[in-house]
Amino acid sequence: MTPEERDHHRKGPITLRGAQLPDRTTDQRLLEEDGETDWVHADPWRVLRIQSEFIEGFGALAELGPAISIFGSARLGADSAHYESAVEIARGVVEMGYAVITGGGPGIMEAGNRGAQEAGGVSVGLGIELPHEQGLNKHVDLGVDFRYFFVRKTMFVKYSSGFVVMPGGFGTFDELFEALCLMQTHKIDLFPVVLVGRDYWQGLLDWLRTTVVEGGMVKPLDIDLMRVVDTPQEALEMLRKYARKAPVS
């Protein structure tokens, strides 16, 4: 049967008719020496890339054990008090028996990895492909780079026994509210979300407790999913009380 005589074409589980009929089979396109390369950007191929990222992430982190994720601004340097606090918190987290996970970049992320590394713990960085490539900081011992934010966020949630959230911008807010939404909707078990820096976070908490709660958008108990502290010692105490316990070495 010639292509002109066909009324349909089966492409795996997909059936094509009319104007959707292809002029070549999938194998023909695959084996063409100088065929078009647009297919590497098509959605079916993108799904395989997404799948491979999940597999790589799960494979790299499956035996990590209990870990605490530390989030915060990439724009805060080593001269920032928040940077020093993140280093101290990471050291304490390792002493408690946890690994430390960050986004792997500069600023607060670097501070978290540095503290973990200096304390002799496991320092994990989950990087992300950005237009202005930053790369993983030098204090990351186990690093995984991702193309897709949603895959990366899955890894943070799946392998964390608690979140420590330092001052940060949209990326930090994204991770914070992702965790809160998943806990609020019972998609994941409760774990501690510790906000460090009352001066930075209090305005947000006040707005949530008034405008948002009083407007009926969330319940007062939803706000209690977050704990706000000022010092590294207070942050570590919250983790001791509420995080899933690390095994005794």
Side-chain angles (χ1 to χ4, degrees):
M1 181 183 294
T2 66
E4 292 77 13
E5 295 172 326
R6 289 180 301 163
D7 65 349
H8 72 279
H9 174 81
R10 295 189 184 276
K11 185 179 180 182
I14 301 169
T15 298
L16 303 173
R17 289 191 172 88
Q20 297 297 316
L21 286 171
D23 57 357
R24 290 167 296 165
T25 67
T26 301
D27 281 341
Q28 283 177 307
R29 290 195 300 273
L30 174 64
L31 297 174
E32 282 178 344
E33 182 177 354
D34 57 349
E36 296 179 356
T37 59
D38 289 347
W39 61 274
V40 301
H41 305 294
D43 284 342
W45 182 252
R46 192 171 290 117
V47 169
L48 293 179
R49 282 183 170 169
I50 293 168
Q51 176 180 310
S52 72
E53 289 209 349
F54 277 113
I55 292 170
E56 290 292 340
F58 292 154
L61 302 175
E63 299 180 356
L64 179 63
I68 301 295
S69 288
I70 299 177
F71 301 96
S73 175
R75 304 182 184 189
L76 295 175
D79 58 345
S80 165
H82 297 304
Y83 183 102
E84 288 301 322
S85 291
V87 171
E88 187 173 345
I89 291 169
R91 287 175 181 152
V93 163
V94 168
E95 291 168 2
M96 291 162 58
Y98 298 93
V100 171
I101 304 175
T102 81
I108 296 298
M109 294 174 281
E110 176 188 298
N113 292 126
R114 175 182 163 186
Q117 193 178 69
E118 290 177 349
V122 180
S123 174
V124 180
L126 306 182
I128 187 70
E129 179 184 352
L130 296 172
H132 303 289
E133 186 63 41
Q134 295 174 325
L136 297 175
N137 68 70
K138 64 181 180 181
H139 301 289
V140 171
D141 296 321
L142 171 59
V144 185
D145 282 307
F146 296 93
R147 288 187 178 92
Y148 301 101
F149 268 114
F150 61 88
V151 179
R152 181 184 186 231
K153 288 196 289 185
T154 299
M155 302 302 153
F156 279 123
V157 171
K158 180 174 175 60
Y159 294 104
S160 295
S161 297
F163 278 12
V164 174
V165 189
M166 307 295 295
F170 286 169
T172 302
F173 303 155
D174 184 38
E175 300 292 353
L176 169 61
F177 282 101
E178 173 86 4
L180 295 175
C181 180
L182 290 172
M183 287 191 285
Q184 180 202 46
T185 55
H186 304 286
K187 293 295 186 181
I188 61 173
D189 293 333
L190 298 181
F191 62 68
V193 175
V194 184
L195 309 183
V196 183
R198 196 176 302 273
D199 287 347
Y200 187 81
W201 294 108
Q202 194 61 54
L204 172 63
L205 294 174
D206 290 342
W207 175 72
L208 290 172
R209 291 189 186 281
T210 55
T211 303
V212 182
V213 170
E214 292 175 6
M217 308 304 174
V218 300
K219 297 178 180 178
L221 287 176
D222 295 331
I223 311 303
D224 292 337
L225 294 171
M226 296 174 281
R227 312 274 178 162
V228 61
V229 301
D230 277 320
T231 68
Q233 294 75 22
E234 290 174 317
L236 292 169
E237 184 58 31
M238 287 292 178
L239 295 175
R240 287 189 189 96
K241 285 184 178 180
Y242 300 110
R244 178 166 58 93
K245 302 302 181 185
V248 178
S249 57

